[in-house]
Amino acid sequence: MEEIDRRIVTLLARDGRMSFTDLAKETGLSVSAVHQRVRRLEKRGVIRGYAALVNYDEIGLPLTAFVSIKPNDPGAPDDAPERLRHLSAIEACHSVAGDESYILKVRVASPLGLEELLQQIRASANVSTRTTVVLSTPYDHRAPEIHAEVGKNADKGLDGEQKAGQ
């Protein structure tokens, strides 16, 4: 990835509503050049979308927890994400290495709401759970620091081999 594209991605990760005019000022490009680069970054999937950052306390969901799940039957199909998709309190589902199969980030209104959600998770996916309640979040949604090496290795896998078709 070119340095100028890294700069654009960094700026937009910090403020997704930054105008093309402001991006142009920050990068030294023309507005049309910035617009073309942003569209190209979107098309490549580098920029996947834009979202509002919500104050969950203000919308009645002050309790955040991480729920680790593992199947009750290790031989069962690995379909927990699909079985849990209907539960809107689950904000994120991460496949992980270790004892558990997935870690879910959930947001609910109260401890009772968390207890009810855990019951729904267990029943829907036939899993056991281990829960960590978040006490506070000193920072979240930090913009990534994009190093030049990232762009140089973007076409290689974890083992350094060239990807198929490259």
Coordinates of all heavy atoms in Angstrom, one line a residue, residues 155-157 159 161-166:
D155 N 0.3 -9.0 -0.2 CA 0.0 -10.1 -1.1 C 0.6 -11.5 -0.6 O 0.6 -12.4 -1.4 CB 0.6 -9.8 -2.5 CG -0.2 -8.6 -3.1 OD1 -1.4 -8.4 -2.7 OD2 0.4 -7.9 -3.9
K156 N 1.1 -11.5 0.6 CA 1.7 -12.7 1.1 C 0.9 -13.3 2.3 O 0.3 -12.5 3.0 CB 3.2 -12.5 1.5 CG 4.1 -12.1 0.3 CD 5.5 -11.9 0.8 CE 6.4 -11.6 -0.4 NZ 7.7 -11.4 0.0
G157 N 0.9 -14.6 2.5 CA 0.3 -15.2 3.6 C 1.1 -15.0 4.9 O 2.2 -14.4 4.9
D159 N 2.9 -17.2 6.3 CA 4.2 -17.9 6.1 C 5.1 -17.2 5.1 O 6.2 -17.7 4.9 CB 4.0 -19.3 5.7 CG 3.2 -19.5 4.4 OD1 2.9 -18.4 3.7 OD2 3.0 -20.6 3.9
E161 N 4.7 -16.8 2.0 CA 4.5 -17.3 0.6 C 3.6 -16.4 -0.2 O 2.6 -15.8 0.3 CB 4.0 -18.7 0.6 CG 4.9 -19.7 1.2 CD 6.2 -19.9 0.4 OE1 6.1 -20.0 -0.9 OE2 7.3 -20.0 1.0
Q162 N 3.8 -16.3 -1.5 CA 3.0 -15.5 -2.4 C 1.6 -16.2 -2.4 O 1.5 -17.4 -2.5 CB 3.6 -15.5 -3.8 CG 3.0 -14.4 -4.7 CD 3.5 -13.0 -4.4 OE1 4.5 -12.8 -3.7 NE2 2.8 -12.1 -4.9
K163 N 0.5 -15.4 -2.4 CA -0.8 -15.9 -2.5 C -1.1 -16.5 -3.9 O -0.5 -15.9 -4.9 CB -1.9 -14.9 -2.2 CG -1.9 -14.5 -0.7 CD -3.1 -13.5 -0.5 CE -3.1 -13.1 0.9 NZ -4.2 -12.0 1.1
A164 N -1.9 -17.4 -4.0 CA -2.3 -18.0 -5.3 C -2.9 -16.9 -6.2 O -3.6 -16.0 -5.8 CB -3.3 -19.1 -5.1
G165 N -2.5 -16.9 -7.5 CA -3.0 -16.0 -8.4 C -2.2 -14.6 -8.4 O -2.6 -13.7 -9.1
Q166 N -1.2 -14.5 -7.6 CA -0.4 -13.3 -7.5 C 0.8 -13.4 -8.4 O 1.4 -14.4 -8.6 CB 0.0 -13.0 -6.1 CG -1.2 -12.8 -5.2 CD -1.9 -11.5 -5.4 OE1 -1.3 -10.5 -5.8 NE2 -3.2 -11.5 -5.3

